[in-house]
Amino acid sequence: MLTTAYVPGAPNWIDLESPDLQASTAFYTAVLGWTFTPLDDSYGLFLVRDTMVAAVGAPAGASARPAWMPHFATQDVAATTKAVEHAGGVVRVPRTPIQDGFMAHYTDPSGAEFAVLQPGPMGALGAVSEPGALSWLELYVANPRAIRPFYRSVFDWRFDDMLMGDDVYTVISTATGDDASIAGLGPLPDGGRAHWQAYFEVVDCDATVARAQELGGTITMPATSVETVGRFAMLRDPHGARFAVITSEEAPAA
């Protein structure tokens, strides 16, 4: 479960790389009930009840595609960058100062893109695992077992296989923390492009999916219920960025 106790390797920020900030802001504020606060012409914050839950900005790098980019906590971006390179990853955006903190963007050996954040005064996400906020992440790669050593080396993550019905689901956990699970790991559906996918908690999964469709979003997996987990669906926004919504069985009330 995601928490705001941002131990090293835990998700502590997420932003959308969008080619059209105005259009993306209109879509997500309508679908997820966010409000928007611009910081400048190219970056702004999404809020729920005045609490930071996500952000949106121009694509990071000329080759960037529209995507939600998870950031993981680090106490030293420079050291993490060295670990990424040593483990076979690629640096897309080198260590960059932001609000007196630092960030960097990488590509793992499977081709999935992610980032790290060493927070400054602006801090990290103000809320997770509640309606309107980031609730879970999943990593989809062609060979899930082969990518494990990379992330163990970079973040010291643990990988635990567990039964979910008749299927095996791999849970990623940080090395420390009371409830350390942060993400799932699975094979790419239909041989697509390796990617991280963000799940946002919502009060009503079906109503949210219907609203996303009305505003130009596309369903990639219809709403599905899983016992002990909740009801979730996977979508793409009008620019093609993947995201998912979930109404968890034990989610806090809005």
Side-chain angles (χ1 to χ4, degrees):
M1 177 180 178
L2 303 191
T3 74
T4 53
Y6 295 122
V7 299
N12 65 346
W13 193 255
I14 187 153
D15 56 23
L16 173 66
E17 296 186 353
S18 169
D20 187 333
L21 270 64
Q22 185 174 359
S24 291
T25 298
F27 176 80
Y28 285 101
T29 54
V31 171
L32 295 176
W34 291 337
T35 57
F36 177 69
T37 298
L39 297 182
D40 55 37
D41 292 339
S42 63
Y43 200 81
L45 305 175
F46 288 122
L47 311 175
V48 171
R49 296 184 297 278
D50 298 322
T51 299
M52 293 188 299
V53 294
V56 60
S63 63
R65 307 180 188 185
W68 279 100
M69 190 62 55
H71 293 55
F72 300 98
T74 179
Q75 297 173 331
D76 187 338
V77 171
T80 301
T81 297
K82 289 181 181 178
V84 166
E85 292 178 312
H86 185 264
V90 174
V91 179
R92 291 196 305 123
V93 179
R95 180 177 179 269
T96 303
I98 49 165
Q99 296 288 320
D100 295 332
F102 298 92
M103 66 87 176
H105 286 230
Y106 313 113
T107 303
D108 75 20
S110 76
E113 298 171 348
F114 68 101
V116 294
L117 174 66
Q118 180 181 336
M122 188 173 72
L125 297 176
V128 294
S129 299
E130 62 182 59
L134 181 68
S135 180
W136 191 245
L137 293 167
E138 285 180 335
L139 173 60
Y140 292 98
V141 298
N143 188 337
R145 211 159 266 284
I147 200 63
R148 297 186 189 194
F150 171 82
Y151 285 104
R152 282 198 193 100
S153 178
V154 173
F155 292 123
D156 197 23
W157 283 346
R158 301 195 316 269
F159 297 85
D160 299 301
D161 295 330
M162 59 179 288
L163 281 175
M164 185 176 289
D166 295 329
D167 299 320
V168 175
Y169 187 77
T170 301
V171 175
I172 302 172
S173 301
T174 55
T176 60
D178 293 335
D179 189 345
S181 59
I182 59 168
L185 170 64
L188 273 172
D190 302 323
R193 181 172 177 257
H195 63 277
W196 281 94
Q197 177 147 288
Y199 283 70
F200 296 102
E201 189 71 42
V202 295
V203 174
D204 187 327
C205 176
D206 294 88
T208 303
V209 170
R211 183 62 171 151
Q213 280 189 289
E214 290 173 3
L215 297 172
T218 304
I219 298 174
T220 59
M221 190 190 82
T224 303
S225 295
V226 175
E227 189 176 356
T228 75
V229 175
R231 188 164 176 81
F232 59 92
M234 299 182 184
L235 308 102
R236 286 182 183 263
D237 72 17
H239 294 108
R242 298 179 179 92
F243 71 105
V245 295
I246 183 169
T247 302
S248 299
E249 283 201 357
E250 299 180 2

